[in-house]
Amino acid sequence: MPAVQETIEHVRTLDVDQYKYGFETHLEVDKAPKGLNEDIVRLISAKKDEPAWMTEWRLDALRRWVTMREPTWARVNYPPIDYQELHYYAAPKMNAAPKSLDEVDPEILRTYEKLGIPLREQEILAGVEPSRRVAVDAVFDSVSVVTTFKEELAKAGVIFCPISEAIREHPELVKKYLGTVVPVSDNYFATLNSAVFTDGSFVYVPEGVRCPMELSTYFRINERNTGQFERTLIIADKGSYVSYLEGCTAPARDENQLHAAVVELIALDDAEIKYSTVQNWYPGDAEGKGGVYNFVTKRGDCRGKNSKISWTQVETGSAITWKYPSCILRGDNSRGEFYSIAISNGFQQVDSGTKMIHLGRNSTSRIISKGIAAGRSENTYRGLVSAHRRASGARNFTNCDSLLIGDRCGAHTVPYIESKNASAIFEHEATTSKISDDQLFYCLQRGLDGEEAIALIVNGFVRDVLQQLPMEFAVEAQKLISISLEGSVG
Amino acid sequence: MSTEAASTLPAARLFPAEERLVEHFRNLKPDLPDDESGRLRRDAAIARIERDGLPNRRVEEWKYTDLRTLLREAAAPAPRPDARVAETARADARVLAELEAVRIDFVNGHLVAAGDAPAGVTILPLARALEESHPALADFDAVEVARGNALIDLNTAFLGDGVIVHVSAGRQAGAPLHLRLVNRGEAPFATAVRVLVIVEKGAALTIAESHEGDVAAQPNTLVEFVLGDGAKVEHVRINAEAAGALALSTVTAMLGAESNFRSVNLVAGGSASRHQVFLAYGGENAHATVAGVTVISGEEHADTTLVVDHAVPGGESRELFKTVIDGDATGVFQGKIIVRQDAQKTDGRMMSAALLVSPGATMNNKPELEIWADDVQCAHGATCGELDEELLFYLKARGLPQAEAAALLLQAFVGEALELVSDETMREAMNALAVKRLENRS
């Protein structure tokens, strides 16, 4: 069955030529020369005032990277990237370490204002809505310009700061955890990131603390011919809880921009991390010119017993998305979740999915993925679920649906399901009929037809997840959830 | 993706498997009975293997089955058996012995006897077709998505013997055909048999294919079907090879408009196997059902790989695969449904279910969809797990001992796929083989 009109209209409002964040901010910038070599890596490390061990860590990554080959297995096509033609460091010129917002370049503040990101704590407090407060780390090209609510968080013992600051201030934590989830030479883009990462957020939630507010990072690429390589490291110590959100936009430019981030999450015993993303990088114009190449490695490690990591992503931007937020379910009874809505338009290419690697006993995971392709885009779900020998009682449920709007686009599903344990129960389905016979029966009995009932059940489920996104993101995400499942194909 | 990528890389280093194969090919070549085009086909196929190397775990389509490792001990092709050996082998053949059928017998990969073809059916030895450059040879390699496949290349390079079956338009073959492939001997050897089945417009055929023997052979069979409009074919294949055998097999089918194709495969023998099915929809509103049952244990490895290519509107496909894995065995299912831009109103459903009945068992499932048309219905499902405790409990509560209850559930599990065989004798024979395999397990 073809897509219904309502869905088509919703997707149209997200089409590439409707991109609202394509403006550019004019600033004086401090840029590294083009190219990538040991000197550039040393320069980045010096700019960040890093200790020697960190510089060595980066150089080691660079030496490995030059021996690696760019992967070709994903279903994306793009001309070869000239890694020597990029600036690996670009920062707005400003006073070293602004003490308050008043010292931050007003141009930058205006940019965030235009993007609707609240940076002034008092404004947030004075907001009409007595809504939930959100601490924001604002990353502009290669540097973090401001991090809000730091003092209040510190009172609870939560560390929330740019990673460059953490390397200086909390080296013991960084040394202990950095690169333990995504090893330096994990893959081509992660290795590149390890060599040249500039900024990103660092979060440490101590034992037993429930983080008092949502944390978020807003990434903005502004400069021409730069790449953004941020690195985020989140550690939830025993029994703690944190919810973290990430948003991203970039100006509309004719040339492609490179974004290669690494995100590492670590959940110890009984801890829970919720990571949400609204990815809205510039997708390129209607002819497929320009746009961000988004090659991201995101991985969470449920290291402790009863730990839980949940990924939620709403993907609408980027010319190319290559992204597989994953969970290593190492702890017994640990739980991984992945909820994704990926919408592609124009000439966008999305190859995204997840990996759920069950190592611990009774670990459980759930994957819900909805891919919607329109225009001439291609949308691929690629996911791995695996159970190792000792993962007794592991359980996974996967449901992925894709929808095509028009006949010039493609939707693909490439699941890998590998089980080495007899008591692991894995179910993968793209048939909507098996969601839950009970629920379905209930709806049918109330007079809904099958299609309506299925849409209601699945949408209800996804909506539940999306409504947990904080206000800033919820508005955008809410638009997407009204998209009907009607006409979806496995 | 990966195969394309692989072919752009510089010439692969030759591993022991490729070196052996190239050597066997050189030794074999002077004795081959080809015409010019046959020679060219062989040379091109072996050249591809030399250039790209055999597929291995780094090649996406072979991620779970490393052909380079499996063929490390690639055996030389078997010579034609003498008449006495051939006669004994035929007389001792057990699989589907009770089936009333026209038999076409291969011993060690060589055609040794063929019964009288029923009315409307022609059975032509492939050697003769090659000598005569028979026009039917134009129907070789009809299915595009199968081209360049390593097993087909190996079959083409080492082609020893085969047969062409032709059913005239509108004719219903009165009796089923039974391709009986028996391997007899002491030392391992390889075979390469190719069968082309052309079923013209409105015709119908039932054909069984059985593989058995007493030697750790390395058979490679390629069975190609070309169905005319409205044609109907039912195909079953039984792998009851001896322990140690490495069974490589490919089935392709080109489906005419409104045609109906059904193929059910049973893996109940051999130590390692890869069974490939490539279906292409050439005419509108064709229907295909492809099913399989695999029962493996010990260190065995069984791979089923399926590609269904919907290129025209209205095609319907149903796939159901059941795998029972015991011991330290590994099961693999890779299925891919492609729906091209023009294939509107396609309805494709694919299901793979696996039961792991021992702590050492492994199952790898990869059910893929590649969709380019917006008005289609495609679904796939994949499950793996152990026997349902609740069902076991129910049966035990009814007085059945644990072992019997488990056996009953396993039989029911594989039975669902075998039920798709419409010929009763074949279905029962397959069921009996599966049950025996399940019993030997426990």
Side-chain angles (χ1 to χ4, degrees):
Chain A
M1 182 190 292
V4 295
Q5 197 54 36
E6 190 191 350
T7 307
I8 294 170
E9 277 159 20
H10 276 291
V11 172
R12 173 71 202 136
T13 61
L14 292 164
D15 207 345
V16 289
D17 53 8
Q18 313 278 318
Y19 194 69
K20 291 186 299 232
Y21 311 103
F23 63 88
E24 191 178 349
T25 312
H26 296 281
L27 288 171
E28 257 192 277
V29 283
D30 177 14
K31 256 198 274 197
K34 271 187 187 173
L36 179 56
N37 51 49
E38 295 205 2
D39 291 339
I40 293 287
V41 171
R42 283 201 182 87
L43 175 84
I44 294 171
S45 195
K47 289 266 183 208
K48 299 275 165 195
D49 204 7
E50 286 174 353
W53 62 267
M54 196 64 230
T55 317
E56 215 24 67
W57 199 82
R58 288 173 178 276
L59 288 169
D60 174 49
L62 179 71
R63 286 170 202 140
R64 294 186 197 211
W65 181 74
V66 294
T67 66
M68 296 169 91
R69 276 180 149 169
E70 206 169 317
T72 54
W73 44 261
R75 189 182 268 282
V76 292
N77 287 303
Y78 53 92
I81 298 171
D82 186 348
Y83 291 91
Q84 298 302 336
E85 269 302 301
L86 294 174
H87 295 283
Y88 285 84
Y89 181 84
K93 273 197 179 140
M94 57 183 180
N95 301 336
K99 291 211 173 36
S100 75
L101 277 182
D102 304 330
E103 288 178 36
V104 175
D105 190 323
E107 268 304 311
I108 296 180
L109 294 182
R110 266 197 290 282
T111 303
Y112 282 94
E113 228 165 79
K114 264 164 113 174
L115 295 170
I117 305 303
L119 292 184
R120 285 182 191 278
E121 296 177 19
Q122 65 274 30
E123 281 174 11
I124 306 164
L125 292 169
V128 184
E129 300 224 6
S131 63
R132 301 136 86 177
R133 287 170 304 156
V134 182
V136 180
D137 181 16
V139 177
F140 199 84
D141 286 330
S142 301
V143 291
S144 165
V145 286
V146 65
T147 309
T148 60
F149 287 107
K150 267 168 97 168
E151 287 78 25
E152 192 171 337
L153 286 168
K155 267 184 229 152
V158 175
I159 304 171
F160 178 46
C161 65
I163 195 150
S164 46
E165 190 182 316
I167 291 168
R168 291 191 303 270
E169 312 282 323
H170 308 282
E172 69 301 338
L173 285 173
V174 177
K175 261 192 196 170
K176 187 171 172 191
Y177 292 108
L178 187 72
T180 62
V181 186
V182 179
V184 170
S185 53
D186 186 78
N187 67 66
Y188 187 79
F189 300 109
T191 311
L192 175 65
N193 175 287
S194 300
V196 300
F197 74 87
T198 43
D199 232 326
S201 301
F202 175 83
V203 177
Y204 174 78
V205 189
E207 197 170 333
V209 171
R210 191 178 168 90
C211 189
M213 64 185 85
E214 308 270 358
L215 306 183
S216 92
T217 304
Y218 197 90
F219 295 100
R220 174 82 179 165
I221 301 180
N222 188 57
E223 263 309 297
R224 200 173 281 279
N225 294 327
T226 55
Q228 193 176 50
F229 304 93
E230 88 262 6
R231 184 132 195 152
T232 296
L233 176 59
I234 300 177
I235 304 137
D237 213 324
K238 290 178 186 165
S240 66
Y241 168 87
V242 61
S243 164
Y244 179 91
L245 319 134
E246 156 196 286
C248 15
T249 57
R253 295 192 189 286
D254 284 349
E255 68 269 27
N256 298 103
Q257 285 160 299
L258 179 63
H259 174 251
V262 172
V263 174
E264 296 179 277
L265 311 183
I266 296 147
L268 302 182
D269 290 359
D270 306 303
E272 179 176 348
I273 302 176
K274 211 169 105 175
Y275 193 106
S276 320
T277 306
V278 175
Q279 188 266 102
N280 202 358
W281 293 117
Y282 178 56
D285 67 11
E287 269 75 53
K289 211 168 173 197
V292 171
Y293 290 168
N294 192 26
F295 299 115
V296 178
T297 307
K298 290 186 169 179
R299 196 173 301 153
D301 189 352
C302 285
R303 210 165 276 186
K305 293 194 295 278
N306 309 317
S307 55
K308 179 178 170 187
I309 288 179
S310 141
W311 298 97
T312 306
Q313 61 173 28
V314 178
E315 301 274 321
T316 55
S318 294
I320 292 175
T321 303
W322 183 101
K323 178 180 173 190
Y324 314 92
S326 308
C327 294
I328 302 169
L329 303 166
R330 202 184 300 273
D332 291 349
N333 309 319
S334 58
R335 176 162 182 82
E337 288 173 356
F338 176 77
Y339 304 107
S340 170
I341 298 181
I343 299 183
S344 57
N345 254 311
F347 283 82
Q348 282 178 286
Q349 303 173 55
V350 181
D351 193 305
S352 182
T354 184
K355 288 184 193 177
M356 292 292 171
I357 299 163
H358 292 261
L359 303 173
R361 293 191 178 84
N362 301 318
S363 50
T364 54
S365 62
R366 168 185 269 162
I367 300 172
I368 306 285
S369 168
K370 278 168 71 169
I372 297 162
R376 288 163 176 259
S377 67
E378 293 211 31
N379 204 324
T380 304
Y381 167 82
R382 187 184 300 275
L384 165 75
V385 178
S386 75
H388 287 244
R389 284 275 176 252
R390 66 174 284 279
S392 312
R395 273 191 166 270
N396 165 269
F397 175 79
T398 301
N399 184 318
C400 47
D401 291 306
S402 13
L403 183 68
L404 287 113
I405 298 175
D407 58 1
R408 311 298 295 270
C409 48
H412 319 297
T413 318
V414 192
Y416 301 78
I417 304 137
E418 307 174 0
S419 176
K420 285 192 193 313
N421 190 301
S423 65
I425 298 179
F426 289 171
E427 289 169 79
H428 174 101
E429 64 176 38
T431 44
T432 34
S433 63
K434 271 178 96 183
I435 298 175
S436 155
D437 288 343
D438 289 350
Q439 281 179 315
L440 200 59
F441 177 73
Y442 182 85
C443 294
L444 294 176
Q445 208 198 23
R446 292 288 176 281
L448 295 175
D449 69 28
E451 197 78 49
E452 278 175 326
I454 288 158
L456 185 73
I457 295 163
V458 176
N459 271 351
F461 187 75
V462 177
R463 189 176 311 224
D464 202 35
V465 177
L466 289 179
Q467 279 175 344
Q468 291 182 41
L469 286 169
M471 286 300 291
E472 288 72 16
F473 297 91
V475 183
E476 235 164 309
Q478 290 286 351
K479 271 193 271 176
L480 306 180
I481 52 165
S482 48
I483 286 168
S484 149
L485 261 191
E486 256 177 274
S488 71
V489 294
Chain B
M1 271 287 328
S2 316
T3 44
E4 284 161 27
S7 62
T8 60
L9 296 174
R13 184 162 79 84
L14 292 192
F15 285 76
E18 289 99 350
E19 275 171 6
R20 273 168 187 270
L21 288 168
V22 170
E23 194 192 322
H24 293 325
F25 184 76
R26 287 207 188 99
N27 297 338
L28 175 77
K29 213 179 162 193
D31 310 331
L32 296 167
D34 301 337
D35 64 343
E36 181 61 21
S37 66
R39 270 192 297 278
L40 288 175
R41 271 201 305 273
R42 283 182 203 269
D43 288 346
I46 199 80
R48 274 196 294 275
I49 291 164
E50 262 191 286
R51 187 194 64 201
D52 301 338
L54 286 171
N56 51 76
R57 278 163 50 189
R58 302 195 70 85
V59 175
E60 183 68 25
E61 291 78 2
W62 294 84
K63 188 176 158 66
Y64 297 116
T65 300
D66 191 326
L67 190 62
R68 184 179 272 163
T69 308
L70 286 177
L71 282 174
R72 197 161 41 204
E73 304 291 329
R80 176 167 277 280
D82 62 41
R84 202 175 41 84
V85 172
E87 210 32 62
T88 327
R90 290 181 63 203
D92 290 351
R94 291 279 167 269
V95 180
L96 291 180
E98 59 284 15
L99 181 73
E100 280 184 36
V102 176
R103 308 223 194 260
I104 302 172
D105 287 333
F106 290 83
V107 174
N108 299 356
H110 296 271
L111 179 65
V112 294
D116 294 330
V121 179
T122 317
I123 300 171
L124 177 70
L126 188 59
R128 223 173 74 207
L130 289 171
E131 274 164 31
E132 293 170 3
S133 300
H134 196 278
L137 295 174
D139 280 330
F140 267 8
D141 301 312
V143 174
E144 201 191 326
V145 284
R147 287 178 204 155
N149 179 272
L151 292 192
I152 296 181
D153 271 350
L154 281 173
N155 184 284
T156 306
F158 289 94
L159 179 60
D161 215 335
V163 73
I164 295 179
V165 175
H166 181 273
V167 187
S168 306
R171 303 301 288 263
Q172 317 279 313
L177 300 189
H178 179 191
L179 296 163
R180 195 156 60 167
L181 296 98
V182 187
N183 293 319
R184 286 300 183 105
E186 304 286 319
F189 53 77
T191 71
V193 171
R194 183 164 192 161
V195 177
L196 174 62
V197 181
I198 302 166
V199 183
E200 300 279 8
K201 191 171 176 180
L205 175 71
T206 300
I207 184 166
E209 185 194 336
S210 66
H211 300 257
E212 61 185 301
D214 64 357
V215 58
Q218 299 175 358
N220 179 334
T221 49
L222 169 57
V223 182
E224 294 173 287
F225 291 92
V226 177
L227 276 71
D229 294 350
K232 195 172 172 206
V233 169
E234 169 145 12
H235 167 245
V236 305
R237 177 179 177 278
I238 301 170
N239 168 0
E241 292 282 359
L246 164 63
L248 305 173
S249 55
T250 309
V251 170
T252 76
M254 183 50 145
L255 308 179
E258 316 268 338
S259 64
N260 194 315
F261 177 73
R262 179 170 292 210
S263 174
V264 182
N265 181 47
L266 171 67
V267 179
S271 285
S273 63
R274 162 119 166 172
H275 179 63
Q276 311 183 126
V277 182
F278 297 96
L279 294 185
Y281 288 70
E284 296 186 13
N285 304 321
H287 177 94
T289 301
V290 186
V293 167
T294 300
V295 183
I296 46 174
S297 60
E299 298 281 323
E300 289 163 8
H301 179 104
D303 176 327
T304 300
T305 293
L306 172 76
V307 181
V308 181
D309 184 2
H310 288 273
V312 294
E316 205 175 56
S317 62
R318 294 286 178 274
E319 292 87 31
L320 178 62
F321 289 85
K322 301 271 185 158
T323 310
V324 178
I325 309 160
D326 197 1
D328 297 321
T330 304
V332 177
F333 173 78
Q334 304 187 99
K336 183 179 197 174
I337 300 181
I338 304 170
V339 180
R340 298 194 191 271
Q341 209 169 326
D342 295 330
Q344 299 290 5
K345 306 278 177 203
T346 289
D347 183 353
R349 266 152 223 259
M350 178 161 69
M351 180 68 200
S352 161
L355 282 178
L356 279 63
V357 291
S358 80
T362 301
M363 179 69 197
N364 298 313
N365 259 321
K366 188 179 155 200
E368 262 185 88
L369 293 177
E370 190 178 315
I371 298 173
W372 305 91
D374 58 353
D375 187 10
V376 301
Q377 275 187 26
C378 278
H380 61 199
T383 61
C384 48
E386 59 188 345
L387 275 177
D388 192 327
E389 281 298 329
E390 278 182 33
L391 295 178
L392 271 176
F393 177 78
Y394 179 86
L395 291 176
K396 285 195 279 185
R398 293 288 174 284
L400 262 67
Q402 164 84 19
E404 263 178 59
L408 195 63
L409 289 175
L410 288 173
Q411 283 175 37
F413 177 73
V414 300
E416 198 189 337
L418 294 177
E419 266 169 29
L420 295 166
V421 177
S422 47
D423 182 292
E424 202 181 328
T425 315
M426 292 185 194
R427 185 173 62 238
E428 284 186 355
M430 290 169 93
N431 229 332
L433 276 168
V435 168
K436 203 170 129 206
R437 248 325 239 194
L438 290 167
E439 280 167 357
N440 287 347
R441 181 196 71 77
S442 47

